[in-house]
Amino acid sequence: MKSIQIKIVALIMMVVILCSVVIGGIGIWHLKNVSEQNSAQIMNFGCREEGKRIEHIFHSIEQSVKIVAENALQTQRMEKVLGDSTLRVMYIEKLRPILLAAAKSTQGAVAAYIHFNPEIAPSDSGLFYSKTDFSDTFLVQPVTDLNDIPEDMSVLDWYYKAVEAEEAVWLEPYNNGKMSEDVISYVIPIYQGDLLVGIVGMDILFSDITQVISNIKIYENGAACLINGKGEVLFHPDGKPEYQIRNEGEWQEFVENTVNDVEGKYAFEYYSAREKHRLTYYKMENQMGLILTAPTAEIDKENNAMISAVIASVMVITLICILVSYVMGQSIVRPLKELTEAAKKIAAGNLKITLPSGLQDEVGVLSDSLQQMVDCLSVYMDRISELAYTDPLTGVKSKTAYKEEVHKIEDGIQSGMVQFGLVIFDLNNLKLMNDTYGHEAGDSYIKNACRLICTTYKHSPVFRIGGDEFAAILRGQDLLGAEQLMHRFYEKMAIINRDASQPSDKVSVAAGMAVFKEEQDKDFQSVFKRADENMYKNKSAIKSGKGPILEVEKFEG
């Protein structure tokens, strides 16, 4: 028969090991997930910032071309003007300084041109300014004769693709036959009524974009590359695709998740040369995309070292606990049942326990040590819960709490036992506030907006679902009085802005509201989509100076 000492030591050893495995396993699993999300957020942030820097070049080209196109239509009866040689020359001379000024003031532009429709004007009529390989100054160049058909028709894509699309287009890198390097073109077809007058376009050197991409550094062996809307690589510093799509559906799902990913927690994993990599993606408005990619081993290097340290610490602590339990087992008799029951509760995840105290021997030390461990774990778990369900800046409910609430509402929709309304709020000009007055002013701006929302919708839960987005789920009297609350919301906003002494004290929020309709809405997302659309309509109305739209969907319960 085994002695009670052996039984006690064996029991305590099993409990300590079990606790170490469970608690250590949960901690390592949580640390791994948080580390992966943090690394994905860092890569996504870098990808977005670099992508926006490239996109800024594209935006400046688009703006300049649009200005020239608008000026090109200031003359009435274009068909008559372009058909008359004298009027045409006068019209071209009128546009010449406008085109030249736009080209000179546009970052990265190497060519700017206007070409008129050969069906109503000579096939070589228009304007063409271009820099050359020998000059950084815009010089007048011969206008391309569209009737002079080249062997490679792609050199005329700048005209025919825009005309074919009947809208503004970005052309992928190509050689226009005028310059020694490939260019990217932005072209707008100009119409007067149904009459095609011609096109206005600008070119930038593809090498200017590739130089920016080549200078992007991420980790030791990471790289950046440019892709088109189909996922085909347009440029990679090594001259080869860095990723391999083994499952097109999986890639498309990742692209969609990335576009809608506010928090930046998605990263696409793939294998290249038998080495696991991770990439992030930023889709630009012209459908091109920037990819940042790096070996997973480099990305997770510090995280893996931390996890290894945690594992080693857990193993050391476990070993120490086993040795201590063996020594203490000689005198542990009386509180054995209490400690055993307590250990089982800890292993089951119940941390709301009280261990025996006041013992003046080894059992007392073990009991006090376990109590301290339980208290620390309780504080840690409470803190995790607080971080998960409360937004740290505003104090309202977090996106995690919002997702759980949405899940409950979805269950209610399926059972037919739910009535609710949804208001989506979006802060205007938050980025401008951050850029102009600093992030401290931006945080104050967010809290002021949140305070306005909470004081208006007093009886409804308010959630922060994004950096500048909030949501309120209406029920009861708030749902019945939704229209009055919307009026009150914008009245309060007007008072706040009137009395504000500092820019960060002002508030500008676009709100959109939708009500669940059983015959129309099959899920929560349907209501969210309408509320989001109404919010963007309100945002457009506010920015245009018309003022907010105060009408909301009526609850017909």
Side-chain angles (χ1 to χ4, degrees):
M1 180 178 178
K2 295 182 179 179
S3 68
I4 188 67
Q5 175 181 336
I6 295 176
K7 293 180 180 179
I8 292 172
V9 171
L11 180 60
I12 294 178
M13 287 175 61
M14 287 189 292
V15 170
V16 170
I17 292 173
L18 179 61
C19 290
S20 299
V21 170
V22 172
I23 297 173
I26 292 174
I28 291 170
W29 175 81
H30 178 72
L31 177 61
K32 185 176 184 297
N33 285 346
V34 170
S35 298
E36 287 181 355
Q37 287 190 11
N38 287 343
S39 62
Q41 287 175 331
I42 291 171
M43 287 186 67
N44 272 299
F45 176 79
C47 191
R48 289 176 181 175
E49 290 301 306
E50 295 294 346
K52 288 177 181 178
R53 188 155 66 97
I54 296 171
E55 205 169 32
H56 176 74
I57 300 174
F58 294 147
H59 283 168
S60 63
I61 295 289
E62 291 177 359
Q63 189 64 30
S64 296
V65 174
K66 289 175 182 177
I67 291 173
V68 175
E70 290 172 0
N71 280 274
L73 289 174
Q74 295 298 316
T75 301
Q76 300 295 324
R77 302 181 65 185
M78 292 297 302
E79 187 171 11
K80 178 179 179 181
V81 171
L82 295 178
D84 185 285
S85 61
T86 302
L87 294 177
R88 183 173 61 251
V89 170
M90 293 173 62
Y91 176 58
I92 290 174
E93 291 306 313
K94 176 183 175 183
L95 293 178
R96 185 182 300 279
I98 298 174
L99 181 65
L100 182 59
K104 289 181 177 179
S105 62
T106 303
Q107 177 188 357
V110 294
Y113 41 87
I114 300 173
H115 203 296
F116 297 118
N117 182 358
E119 295 180 2
I120 60 174
S123 58
D124 61 350
S125 59
L127 287 169
F128 183 31
Y129 281 97
S130 173
K131 295 180 181 179
T132 67
D133 297 334
F134 309 101
S135 174
D136 196 40
T137 302
F138 282 97
L139 302 175
V140 177
Q141 302 292 341
V143 178
T144 301
D145 189 341
L146 295 179
N147 287 338
D148 185 8
I149 307 300
E151 292 183 4
D152 183 6
M153 284 295 294
S154 66
V155 300
L156 299 179
D157 281 353
W158 54 268
Y159 183 86
Y160 288 108
K161 284 199 173 182
V163 171
E164 179 182 353
E166 297 184 350
E167 62 180 2
V169 295
W170 274 101
L171 302 183
E172 292 182 7
Y174 73 105
N175 191 292
N176 62 6
K178 301 286 187 180
M179 307 193 73
S180 59
E181 299 184 45
D182 285 354
V183 297
I184 301 177
S185 300
Y186 180 71
V187 188
I188 296 179
I190 50 178
Y191 288 87
Q192 190 170 71
D194 295 330
L195 175 66
L196 173 65
V197 176
I199 60 93
V200 177
M202 278 193 185
D203 298 342
I204 56 175
L205 289 177
F206 185 47
S207 60
D208 288 349
I209 304 300
T210 61
Q211 184 61 45
V212 174
I213 295 173
S214 297
N215 290 335
I216 297 174
K217 303 299 180 184
I218 177 169
Y219 296 101
E220 185 176 349
N221 295 302
C225 65
L226 186 70
I227 65 173
N228 61 15
K230 300 177 182 178
E232 299 168 344
V233 176
L234 299 177
F235 171 76
H236 187 279
D238 296 337
K240 65 179 185 300
E242 177 63 21
Y243 65 87
Q244 300 169 358
I245 301 176
R246 294 184 296 180
N247 186 325
E248 186 174 349
E250 182 181 359
W251 169 253
Q252 291 300 328
E253 180 182 356
F254 165 74
V255 170
E256 292 175 5
N257 287 336
T258 301
V259 173
N260 298 316
D261 181 18
V262 178
E263 298 179 353
K265 61 182 180 181
Y266 290 101
F268 184 76
E269 292 189 342
Y270 65 97
Y271 285 87
S272 177
R274 297 184 179 181
E275 184 179 16
K276 192 175 183 180
H277 287 66
R278 196 175 296 155
L279 67 79
T280 53
Y281 168 76
Y282 176 76
K283 183 178 181 180
M284 291 177 273
E285 291 182 6
N286 64 357
Q287 302 306 311
M288 294 182 187
L290 178 68
I291 283 178
L292 293 187
T293 178
T296 302
E298 292 184 14
I299 298 173
D300 295 337
K301 183 178 180 180
E302 294 184 3
N303 296 335
N304 290 338
M306 187 182 302
I307 291 174
S308 298
V310 171
I311 294 174
S313 299
V314 170
M315 293 178 64
V316 170
I317 292 172
T318 302
L319 179 60
I320 292 174
C321 289
I322 291 174
L323 294 175
V324 171
S325 68
Y326 178 79
V327 175
M328 295 177 62
Q330 297 180 11
S331 59
I332 298 177
V333 176
R334 181 173 52 84
L336 178 60
K337 285 188 177 181
E338 297 175 329
L339 289 177
T340 302
E341 291 301 319
K344 289 180 179 179
K345 291 178 180 179
I346 294 173
N350 181 9
L351 301 179
K352 298 185 181 299
I353 61 173
T354 301
L355 296 170
S357 60
L359 301 175
Q360 302 299 319
D361 55 12
E362 294 83 357
V363 176
V365 174
L366 176 60
S367 179
D368 293 340
S369 299
L370 289 175
Q371 184 67 62
Q372 292 177 9
M373 182 180 70
V374 170
D375 292 341
C376 291
L377 287 173
S378 296
V379 171
Y380 176 70
M381 297 303 292
D382 290 343
R383 179 58 177 162
I384 290 177
S385 179
E386 179 183 354
L387 291 173
Y389 291 95
T390 304
D391 178 56
L393 178 63
T394 62
V396 299
K397 295 185 178 183
S398 67
K399 188 171 184 179
T400 300
Y402 172 76
K403 290 180 178 179
E404 288 197 3
E405 185 67 21
V406 170
H407 182 71
K408 294 177 183 177
I409 292 175
E410 292 281 13
D411 291 341
I413 292 174
Q414 296 303 318
S415 63
M417 300 291 292
V418 65
Q419 294 178 339
F420 71 97
L422 177 67
V423 187
I424 299 297
F425 305 90
D426 189 274
L427 279 61
N428 296 322
N429 304 319
L430 176 59
K431 185 178 185 302
L432 178 63
M433 180 67 68
N434 284 329
D435 293 345
T436 306
Y437 301 101
H439 286 276
E440 185 174 351
D443 289 347
S444 176
Y445 183 71
I446 293 172
K447 290 189 282 187
N448 289 339
C450 180
R451 189 180 302 112
L452 170 61
I453 296 169
C454 292
T455 56
T456 303
Y457 296 87
K458 297 179 181 179
H459 307 290
S460 300
V462 176
F463 306 83
R464 187 181 182 193
I465 60 175
D468 57 358
E469 289 183 308
F470 292 82
I473 298 176
L474 310 186
R475 296 186 179 93
Q477 64 186 76
D478 277 7
L479 179 57
L480 293 173
E483 186 168 2
Q484 293 87 340
L485 288 176
M486 186 66 75
H487 281 267
R488 192 178 306 163
F489 178 80
Y490 280 104
E491 287 171 359
K492 287 184 177 182
M493 185 189 300
I495 294 172
I496 291 172
N497 292 336
R498 181 195 65 194
D499 298 336
S501 59
Q502 299 293 332
S504 59
D505 295 336
K506 294 184 177 182
V507 176
S508 178
V509 182
M513 191 261 186
V515 175
F516 171 74
K517 300 177 181 179
E518 186 173 358
E519 70 281 3
Q520 178 180 348
D521 300 312
K522 302 302 181 184
D523 53 23
F524 180 90
Q525 185 61 30
S526 300
V527 183
F528 180 93
K529 183 178 180 181
R530 290 204 312 280
D532 197 54
E533 290 173 350
N534 291 334
M535 180 273 290
Y536 274 107
K537 291 178 182 177
N538 222 336
K539 180 183 285 286
S540 298
I542 292 172
K543 290 189 175 181
S544 67
K546 297 179 181 178
I549 301 171
L550 300 178
E551 295 181 1
V552 300
E553 292 184 10
K554 300 296 190 301
F555 173 62
E556 300 175 356

